[in-house]
Amino acid sequence: MISQKWSKLIRSLQQKKYRKAEQLFFVEGEKAVLELLASTWQVEAVFGTEVFLQRYPLQLKTAALVQQCSADELVKAGTFTSNDAALAVVKMPPQTDFVAHSHGFVLVLDQINDPGNLGTIIRVADWYGIKHIVCSPDTTDCYNPKVIAAAKGSFLRVTLHYQPLAPLLTAATLPVFGAYLGGDSIHQLRLQHSGGYVVLGNEANGISAELEPLIGRRITIPAFGGAESLNVGIATAIICDNLARLQTTQ
């Protein structure tokens, strides 16, 4: 069973202040835990059902602690409504500021509040081979359990940096695109460089006024129906897909 000490710790990690203090977070579910175990991330503990532990003995050798428990215990300790596999407690890697480079696209997130949206954006970035996401300090914590759940295993392959955005964009040597409801159609965009920064704004308020003067080109996804707006995760996927297509055709 999961000891009282570990149960208390795991439940506390649902809150940002405890994740920050302990420098730990947790990952739930069979696929995500297996991807984690195959990575270089430091796994402090894995709690798994008998079936999970018997099925993956070799993968579990990378964990510091492995303990059997019931599916009911996994549900009580974590956030999933059902989990018949595993839960892992993981050490956070060191946080670093983004170091600008001269190629590839970088997503820049300005005050993204919803954990599900951030998780989706991480997964989209991974799908399109984007390795870095730069977040404003007030963007939701990437180790929030809802973010990790939505990102699946993609959080292992996309590095998130939390830092003030204005200095980064001011010093940018690559184009800075901003996603707006009004702007140049992403379908008709022409790229002069193979990379740049793509700024995506807050779900309710869009890109902050502070950053507007730093946006080199406003881009938009043209609407063909009556919807008022798109979810920021969906918008990110559409923009990334078009940028990927433009890079291969131009």
Side-chain angles (χ1 to χ4, degrees), residues 21-25 41-44 89-94 143:
E22 300 288 346
Q23 288 295 291
L24 297 171
F25 69 103
W41 290 47
Q42 184 176 334
V43 181
E44 298 293 322
V89 179
V90 193
K91 187 76 172 176
M92 292 181 186
Y143 297 114

Side-chain angles (χ1 to χ4, degrees), residues 149-163:
K152 306 298 184 185
S154 291
F155 74 90
L156 298 165
R157 293 176 290 275
V158 180
T159 303
L160 274 73
H161 312 266
Y162 285 77
Q163 64 193 79

Side-chain angles (χ1 to χ4, degrees), residues 16 97 109-113 134-141 161-167 210:
K16 181 179 179 179
D97 281 354
L109 307 185
D110 182 21
Q111 302 178 48
I112 299 299
N113 290 331
V134 183
C135 304
S136 62
D138 48 3
T139 289
T140 194
D141 177 25
H161 312 266
Y162 285 77
Q163 64 193 79
L165 302 182
E210 175 194 15

Side-chain angles (χ1 to χ4, degrees), residues 116-140:
N117 285 340
L118 179 56
T120 298
I121 291 170
I122 294 170
R123 198 173 181 189
V124 167
D126 187 27
W127 183 265
Y128 287 99
I130 295 173
K131 301 299 184 183
H132 295 274
I133 298 176
V134 183
C135 304
S136 62
D138 48 3
T139 289
T140 194

Side-chain angles (χ1 to χ4, degrees), residues 26 112 116 128 146 151 185 193 228:
F26 63 86
I112 299 299
Y128 287 99
K146 292 181 180 179
S185 169
H193 302 272
E228 180 183 357

